[in-house]
Amino acid sequence: MPETRSAPVTVPKLRAAKRRAGHAPLVMVTAYDAPGARIADAAGVDLILVGDSVANNVLGYRDTLQVTMENMAHHTAAVARARPEPMIVADLPWMSYHLDRVDTVRNGATLIRAGAQAVKLEGGSNRVPMIEALVAAEIPVMGHLGLTPQSVNAMGGYRVQGRDDAAAHALTVDAKAIVAAGCFAVVIEGVPESVGAAITESIDVPTIGIGAGPACDGQVLVFHDLLGFNDTAPKFVRRYADLGADAVAAMAAYAADVRSGAFPADAEVYH
Ligand code: KIV
């Protein structure tokens, strides 16, 4: 990919977007609604992820396990209505791809019909049959390995993964398995940078890191983290703005103007 986004961003183009082949790092950000999609589009990102992190960032849940297919279809459709140029990838929520292949393909199709060009699912070798079924139904699949938030209970919390040699090796095995099954890209979350680098080196499709170090073929951040809407954020987040504080200040100024009678002014009144 060139330094700036080349439209349209397609699955075949992305599949080849390895940095070792000379491509610029891919830029992905989450968005959950039309205004968010417009901002991401205007900023020139390559991919918009309608993440199941809508749970924590928008819907007020403590974890992503509460998110339903209805939630994901609703937010995917809102993003798609903005008609953004970046590729829209939508998360398959927990339990939407765990039961059987038919259920998985139906759920994938629901997100595609809502406006996504691809779906993302969490897990390694255990997800191979579902990935194969989605790909056979012409639904492009992005994988997600490492700290997989839908496994929060099984992992015993949001912990960095792949810290010992065996766990790191297992992640590389998983990455190869899901790529062989048809994933066109893989998100790697919450692993030591050496593990992010090893996985990136071991597969021929791009890796997109979040807390996985600089060697990945791209990076993804959560909209609300990078713009400063969340009070706390993990170590790997860089805040590029403090919009949460800016919003409070703006709204407090409005409240003060209403209470003092300064709003509305003559120019803001119909005569
Ligand atoms: O839902 C999400 O925001 C994600 C990113 C953390 C990759 O899956």
Side-chain angles (χ1 to χ4, degrees), residues 30 49 51-53 91 120 144 187 189 210 220 222:
T30 68
L49 173 65
D52 60 354
S53 56
D91 263 341
K120 176 166 81 59
H144 186 158
V187 166
E189 179 168 357
I210 175 161
V220 52
V222 165

PDB file of all heavy atoms in Angstrom, residues 30 49 51-53 91 120 144 187 189 210 220 222, ligand 1:
ATOM      1  N   THR A  30     -11.174   1.425  15.395  1.00  0.00           N
ATOM      2  CA  THR A  30     -12.567   1.007  15.577  1.00  0.00           C
ATOM      3  C   THR A  30     -13.479   2.207  15.344  1.00  0.00           C
ATOM      4  O   THR A  30     -13.080   3.363  15.528  1.00  0.00           O
ATOM      5  CB  THR A  30     -12.833   0.448  16.990  1.00  0.00           C
ATOM      6  OG1 THR A  30     -12.722   1.502  17.943  1.00  0.00           O
ATOM      7  CG2 THR A  30     -11.889  -0.686  17.341  1.00  0.00           C
ATOM      8  N   LEU A  49     -12.765  -1.041  11.988  1.00  0.00           N
ATOM      9  CA  LEU A  49     -13.235  -2.241  12.678  1.00  0.00           C
ATOM     10  C   LEU A  49     -14.455  -1.879  13.518  1.00  0.00           C
ATOM     11  O   LEU A  49     -14.354  -1.062  14.444  1.00  0.00           O
ATOM     12  CB  LEU A  49     -12.133  -2.800  13.594  1.00  0.00           C
ATOM     13  CG  LEU A  49     -12.567  -3.956  14.499  1.00  0.00           C
ATOM     14  CD1 LEU A  49     -12.953  -5.186  13.677  1.00  0.00           C
ATOM     15  CD2 LEU A  49     -11.464  -4.310  15.493  1.00  0.00           C
ATOM     16  N   GLY A  51     -15.835  -3.065  16.174  1.00  0.00           N
ATOM     17  CA  GLY A  51     -15.393  -4.053  17.156  1.00  0.00           C
ATOM     18  C   GLY A  51     -16.494  -4.382  18.150  1.00  0.00           C
ATOM     19  O   GLY A  51     -17.373  -3.559  18.427  1.00  0.00           O
ATOM     20  N   ASP A  52     -16.389  -5.586  18.716  1.00  0.00           N
ATOM     21  CA  ASP A  52     -17.329  -5.904  19.803  1.00  0.00           C
ATOM     22  C   ASP A  52     -16.944  -5.132  21.071  1.00  0.00           C
ATOM     23  O   ASP A  52     -17.662  -5.166  22.068  1.00  0.00           O
ATOM     24  CB  ASP A  52     -17.449  -7.407  20.044  1.00  0.00           C
ATOM     25  CG  ASP A  52     -16.134  -8.063  20.421  1.00  0.00           C
ATOM     26  OD1 ASP A  52     -15.090  -7.387  20.395  1.00  0.00           O
ATOM     27  OD2 ASP A  52     -16.155  -9.275  20.751  1.00  0.00           O
ATOM     28  N   SER A  53     -15.839  -4.365  20.984  1.00  0.00           N
ATOM     29  CA  SER A  53     -15.510  -3.418  22.056  1.00  0.00           C
ATOM     30  C   SER A  53     -16.536  -2.293  22.122  1.00  0.00           C
ATOM     31  O   SER A  53     -16.459  -1.436  23.005  1.00  0.00           O
ATOM     32  CB  SER A  53     -14.102  -2.842  21.847  1.00  0.00           C
ATOM     33  OG  SER A  53     -13.991  -2.248  20.572  1.00  0.00           O
ATOM     34  N   ASP A  91     -16.867  -7.391  13.862  1.00  0.00           N
ATOM     35  CA  ASP A  91     -16.593  -8.510  14.770  1.00  0.00           C
ATOM     36  C   ASP A  91     -17.775  -9.452  14.866  1.00  0.00           C
ATOM     37  O   ASP A  91     -18.921  -9.015  15.077  1.00  0.00           O
ATOM     38  CB  ASP A  91     -16.313  -7.972  16.182  1.00  0.00           C
ATOM     39  CG  ASP A  91     -14.845  -7.851  16.480  1.00  0.00           C
ATOM     40  OD1 ASP A  91     -14.020  -8.482  15.782  1.00  0.00           O
ATOM     41  OD2 ASP A  91     -14.505  -7.117  17.430  1.00  0.00           O
ATOM     42  N   LYS A 120     -14.439 -10.496  11.555  1.00  0.00           N
ATOM     43  CA  LYS A 120     -13.286 -10.890  12.379  1.00  0.00           C
ATOM     44  C   LYS A 120     -13.778 -11.837  13.466  1.00  0.00           C
ATOM     45  O   LYS A 120     -14.867 -11.647  14.009  1.00  0.00           O
ATOM     46  CB  LYS A 120     -12.613  -9.661  13.006  1.00  0.00           C
ATOM     47  CG  LYS A 120     -11.456 -10.020  13.957  1.00  0.00           C
ATOM     48  CD  LYS A 120     -10.595  -8.827  14.294  1.00  0.00           C
ATOM     49  CE  LYS A 120     -11.145  -7.927  15.371  1.00  0.00           C
ATOM     50  NZ  LYS A 120     -11.385  -8.569  16.673  1.00  0.00           N
ATOM     51  N   HIS A 144      -7.910 -13.229  14.926  1.00  0.00           N
ATOM     52  CA  HIS A 144      -7.553 -12.424  16.113  1.00  0.00           C
ATOM     53  C   HIS A 144      -6.957 -13.392  17.135  1.00  0.00           C
ATOM     54  O   HIS A 144      -7.646 -14.281  17.629  1.00  0.00           O
ATOM     55  CB  HIS A 144      -8.828 -11.750  16.646  1.00  0.00           C
ATOM     56  CG  HIS A 144      -8.596 -10.790  17.778  1.00  0.00           C
ATOM     57  ND1 HIS A 144      -9.493  -9.788  18.096  1.00  0.00           N
ATOM     58  CD2 HIS A 144      -7.589 -10.676  18.695  1.00  0.00           C
ATOM     59  CE1 HIS A 144      -9.061  -9.095  19.140  1.00  0.00           C
ATOM     60  NE2 HIS A 144      -7.901  -9.620  19.526  1.00  0.00           N
ATOM     61  N   VAL A 187      -5.290 -10.025  13.446  1.00  0.00           N
ATOM     62  CA  VAL A 187      -5.031  -9.101  14.558  1.00  0.00           C
ATOM     63  C   VAL A 187      -4.269  -9.871  15.632  1.00  0.00           C
ATOM     64  O   VAL A 187      -4.620 -11.007  15.973  1.00  0.00           O
ATOM     65  CB  VAL A 187      -6.354  -8.546  15.135  1.00  0.00           C
ATOM     66  CG1 VAL A 187      -6.127  -7.870  16.479  1.00  0.00           C
ATOM     67  CG2 VAL A 187      -6.975  -7.557  14.162  1.00  0.00           C
ATOM     68  N   GLU A 189      -3.108  -9.332  19.529  1.00  0.00           N
ATOM     69  CA  GLU A 189      -3.338  -8.425  20.655  1.00  0.00           C
ATOM     70  C   GLU A 189      -2.588  -8.897  21.908  1.00  0.00           C
ATOM     71  O   GLU A 189      -2.592 -10.094  22.240  1.00  0.00           O
ATOM     72  CB  GLU A 189      -4.847  -8.365  20.971  1.00  0.00           C
ATOM     73  CG  GLU A 189      -5.166  -7.466  22.159  1.00  0.00           C
ATOM     74  CD  GLU A 189      -6.644  -7.156  22.328  1.00  0.00           C
ATOM     75  OE1 GLU A 189      -7.461  -7.582  21.489  1.00  0.00           O
ATOM     76  OE2 GLU A 189      -6.971  -6.483  23.321  1.00  0.00           O
ATOM     77  N   ILE A 210      -2.167  -4.787  18.256  1.00  0.00           N
ATOM     78  CA  ILE A 210      -2.681  -3.880  19.295  1.00  0.00           C
ATOM     79  C   ILE A 210      -2.007  -4.356  20.584  1.00  0.00           C
ATOM     80  O   ILE A 210      -2.310  -5.432  21.097  1.00  0.00           O
ATOM     81  CB  ILE A 210      -4.234  -3.861  19.361  1.00  0.00           C
ATOM     82  CG1 ILE A 210      -4.726  -3.001  20.532  1.00  0.00           C
ATOM     83  CG2 ILE A 210      -4.854  -5.238  19.365  1.00  0.00           C
ATOM     84  CD1 ILE A 210      -6.168  -2.549  20.419  1.00  0.00           C
ATOM     85  N   VAL A 220      -3.793  -1.229  15.203  1.00  0.00           N
ATOM     86  CA  VAL A 220      -5.187  -0.857  15.424  1.00  0.00           C
ATOM     87  C   VAL A 220      -5.318  -0.282  16.826  1.00  0.00           C
ATOM     88  O   VAL A 220      -4.655  -0.755  17.757  1.00  0.00           O
ATOM     89  CB  VAL A 220      -6.154  -2.066  15.232  1.00  0.00           C
ATOM     90  CG1 VAL A 220      -5.760  -3.275  16.045  1.00  0.00           C
ATOM     91  CG2 VAL A 220      -7.604  -1.673  15.540  1.00  0.00           C
ATOM     92  N   VAL A 222      -8.449   1.535  19.564  1.00  0.00           N
ATOM     93  CA  VAL A 222      -9.863   1.784  19.804  1.00  0.00           C
ATOM     94  C   VAL A 222     -10.112   3.295  19.734  1.00  0.00           C
ATOM     95  O   VAL A 222      -9.388   4.088  20.351  1.00  0.00           O
ATOM     96  CB  VAL A 222     -10.271   1.204  21.181  1.00  0.00           C
ATOM     97  CG1 VAL A 222     -11.611   1.743  21.655  1.00  0.00           C
ATOM     98  CG2 VAL A 222     -10.298  -0.320  21.113  1.00  0.00           C
TER      99      VAL A 222
HETATM  100  O1  KIV B   1     -13.259  -5.085  19.394  1.00  0.00           O
HETATM  101  C1  KIV B   1     -12.149  -4.530  19.276  1.00  0.00           C
HETATM  102  O2  KIV B   1     -11.983  -3.329  19.536  1.00  0.00           O
HETATM  103  C2  KIV B   1     -11.031  -5.349  18.826  1.00  0.00           C
HETATM  104  C3  KIV B   1      -9.701  -4.689  18.797  1.00  0.00           C
HETATM  105  C4  KIV B   1      -9.146  -4.704  20.162  1.00  0.00           C
HETATM  106  C5  KIV B   1      -8.785  -5.343  17.850  1.00  0.00           C
HETATM  107  O3  KIV B   1     -11.192  -6.481  18.535  1.00  0.00           O
END
